[in-house]
Amino acid sequence: MLLLVSDTNGAFSFYEMARRFPDSPVWRALGTQFSHVEWSGAAIWDLIMPSFVFLIGIAMPLSHAARARRGETGGQIALHAGLRVITLLLLGLTLRLPISTNVDFIWPFLLLLPGLPIEDWTQKVLRPKDARVPSAVHLAIWVVVLIATAVRLIHQVHRLGNYDLGALLPQVAFAYALLYPLVNRSLRAQFWAFAAILFGYWLAFALYPLPQVVADSAEYTGWFAHWNIDTNLAGDFDLWFLNLLPRATRFAGNDHGYQTLNFIPTAATMLIGMMVGHLLQSSSLTAARFRKSVTLAGVAALLAGLVLGTFACPIVKSIWTPTWVLFSGGIVLLVFALFYFMCEELQVRAGIWLLVAAGSNTILLYVLACNYKWWFLERWRDVFGSTVFVGTWQPLLESVAFMLSAWLLAVIMHRMRIFIRL
């Protein structure tokens, strides 16, 4: 999250520094590793979304179990999951609206409002005799916010431009909805669902007919041409589906090749996390055995992704190919196993809270990073003067300043025990 917050286009604006120092191998290397690759392959920056999605998957069974312990019924938990999905989808679209009025500025935070502990606050303020009142108040606020947002987006569709559903929040929303029925299923059922998603998605692309003429600019020819930008199953689906939705301009493609159907293999990455969350709940595994299991799974997934990436389909993050799921999932599992080893087995705690604070309010930090960097930088200029970010190092300084501002806000909220949890 701290890497993402600094600059949503590339960590700490290293890519901008590489443009300013084209002859510097250091800036060039940093710019390359902390920006998205154009199509095939991977850089460190490409692993941020898989990590984010993986952690959501881990949280799903833990969150479900916690709600069940609080006495919520299956229907109540399912309703909450449905509202969460709709909120993430509408929030993702709302963040596409440029901020030109105070309403534009405030509205994303209204969508985050249901993530606050409204039920606890209602109980403390109103002290109702009926225990169902706090839940009813929370639900009413949530529904009103969602309806108002949907109406607003319909009336503001002309400001959305050439919008699509391939960004992080819509993808998480769709993947979450797809996987929710599996949250309480056995580890075996989850694994077979994972395998079915990967094989089914690979087969759908492989069987989809190629265009009669493969463009000279295409990344791949031959078998791998089934996974070229836009000229694939998911690309053609978007040309049909997105143009059925209300929009001011006809959808003609995404510059990076991101597609709506990416949520299906993204769900497989989330399912890796769900299986890890399932294992975390097991009382029969010691910490060492759990870590070894995750490590072996990570190695197996990484090797499978690399091997299959040579002949089955390419490793492409933009369209989340099955080999990308395995390759990135393997790396994320290994990183998770390393942190688990440090925190749970070696009991290393020094400095970890710096990351925990940022991780405790990720949805808020993501919203701030998408639309509000300029506001924080203006506050820096108010304090230190208008020339604080002027000069050759401007992109880097702005990114560091904003990251520190967002992190400090997260720390304050963590100390005050305020967490936004949709």
Side-chain angles (χ1 to χ4, degrees):
M1 280 309 304
L2 293 178
L3 287 174
L4 182 63
V5 162
S6 63
D7 186 337
T8 55
N9 294 316
F12 295 106
S13 301
F14 288 144
Y15 65 99
E16 288 286 357
M17 297 304 296
R19 290 195 188 110
R20 296 187 178 210
F21 297 95
D23 297 326
S24 169
V26 174
W27 288 121
R28 188 164 58 248
L30 289 172
T32 299
Q33 282 301 314
F34 291 94
S35 301
H36 289 307
V37 298
E38 290 189 9
W39 194 246
S40 61
I44 293 173
W45 189 248
D46 294 303
L47 296 170
I48 289 183
M49 185 171 170
S51 303
F52 196 84
V53 170
F54 168 80
L55 291 175
I56 292 172
I58 289 181
M60 288 180 70
L62 303 180
S63 174
H64 190 279
R67 289 183 175 278
R69 286 195 298 270
R70 290 200 296 267
E72 294 187 25
T73 65
Q76 289 174 317
I77 299 173
L79 175 61
H80 182 272
L83 292 173
R84 175 183 291 159
V85 166
I86 298 171
T87 304
L88 291 174
L89 176 60
L90 294 181
L91 179 59
L93 291 172
T94 299
L95 290 175
R96 292 187 62 97
L97 293 174
I99 296 178
S100 55
T101 67
N102 288 334
V103 174
D104 293 333
F105 187 93
I106 294 172
W107 206 278
F109 300 111
L110 292 180
L111 279 166
L112 295 181
L113 178 63
L116 291 171
I118 293 175
E119 294 182 33
D120 294 341
W121 295 348
T122 302
Q123 183 66 41
K124 290 179 181 178
V125 173
L126 300 180
R127 299 184 183 279
K129 295 181 180 179
D130 191 336
R132 296 172 296 181
V133 169
S135 298
V137 171
H138 186 194
L139 178 61
I141 291 174
W142 205 338
V143 170
V144 168
V145 168
L146 292 182
I147 292 175
T149 302
V151 171
R152 180 171 184 263
L153 285 171
I154 291 173
H155 284 88
Q156 298 283 316
V157 70
H158 61 282
R159 299 177 61 207
L160 290 174
N162 185 41
Y163 75 88
D164 56 67
L165 300 175
L168 173 63
L169 294 183
Q171 288 292 297
V172 168
F174 294 141
Y176 193 99
L178 180 64
L179 289 191
Y180 179 77
L182 292 172
V183 72
N184 263 344
R185 301 299 297 272
S186 67
L187 187 62
R188 179 181 299 233
Q190 292 172 357
F191 174 80
W192 284 113
F194 171 78
I197 289 173
L198 292 191
F199 179 74
Y201 202 69
W202 171 84
L203 187 63
F205 269 67
L207 295 180
Y208 193 73
L210 289 170
Q212 291 183 351
V213 178
V214 178
D216 294 336
S217 59
E219 179 78 15
Y220 302 113
T221 58
W223 174 254
F224 276 16
H226 288 277
W227 290 272
N228 275 326
I229 186 171
D230 291 333
T231 58
N232 56 60
L233 168 66
D236 285 352
F237 174 85
D238 271 354
L239 288 176
W240 167 75
F241 174 69
L242 292 177
N243 285 308
L244 295 178
L245 303 179
R247 54 191 311 117
T249 59
R250 180 173 175 78
F251 178 77
N254 180 286
D255 291 340
H256 297 284
Y258 303 150
Q259 295 156 343
T260 304
L261 292 183
N262 281 6
F263 81 88
I264 298 174
T266 297
T269 300
M270 194 179 290
L271 194 46
I272 296 175
M274 185 185 289
M275 288 187 281
V276 172
H278 185 99
L279 285 175
L280 277 172
Q281 293 177 304
S282 174
S283 58
S284 62
L285 287 179
T286 64
R289 187 179 174 189
F290 170 81
R291 185 247 310 160
K292 290 177 182 177
S293 298
V294 172
T295 301
L296 288 174
V299 171
L302 177 58
L303 291 177
L306 290 172
V307 171
L308 292 174
T310 64
F311 66 89
C313 66
I315 298 173
V316 182
K317 185 260 181 185
S318 294
I319 54 175
W320 221 273
T321 58
T323 48
W324 169 255
V325 173
L326 294 169
F327 172 80
S328 62
I331 294 176
V332 170
L333 282 169
L334 292 175
V335 172
F336 178 82
L338 175 62
F339 273 90
Y340 184 88
F341 176 69
M342 291 170 54
C343 298
E344 302 299 328
E345 294 185 66
L346 297 183
Q347 293 293 306
V348 174
R349 295 288 186 246
I352 294 297
W353 72 273
L354 301 176
L355 302 178
V356 171
S360 297
N361 273 298
T362 52
I363 188 67
L364 172 63
L365 295 189
Y366 180 78
V367 169
L368 295 178
C370 286
N371 278 18
Y372 297 92
K373 183 176 181 178
W374 62 273
W375 187 90
F376 283 88
L377 295 180
E378 285 301 314
R379 305 291 75 76
W380 278 76
R381 292 187 179 98
D382 290 342
V383 175
F384 297 103
S386 59
T387 61
V388 63
F389 299 124
V390 173
T392 304
W393 298 83
Q394 177 184 348
L396 180 62
L397 292 175
E398 288 182 346
S399 293
V400 171
F402 178 59
M403 187 273 289
L404 290 175
S405 302
W407 173 78
L408 182 60
L409 175 63
V411 168
I412 293 172
M413 293 181 68
H414 188 269
R415 290 299 177 93
M416 295 176 66
R417 312 304 296 171
I418 299 175
F419 307 112
I420 298 177
R421 296 169 175 167
L422 292 174

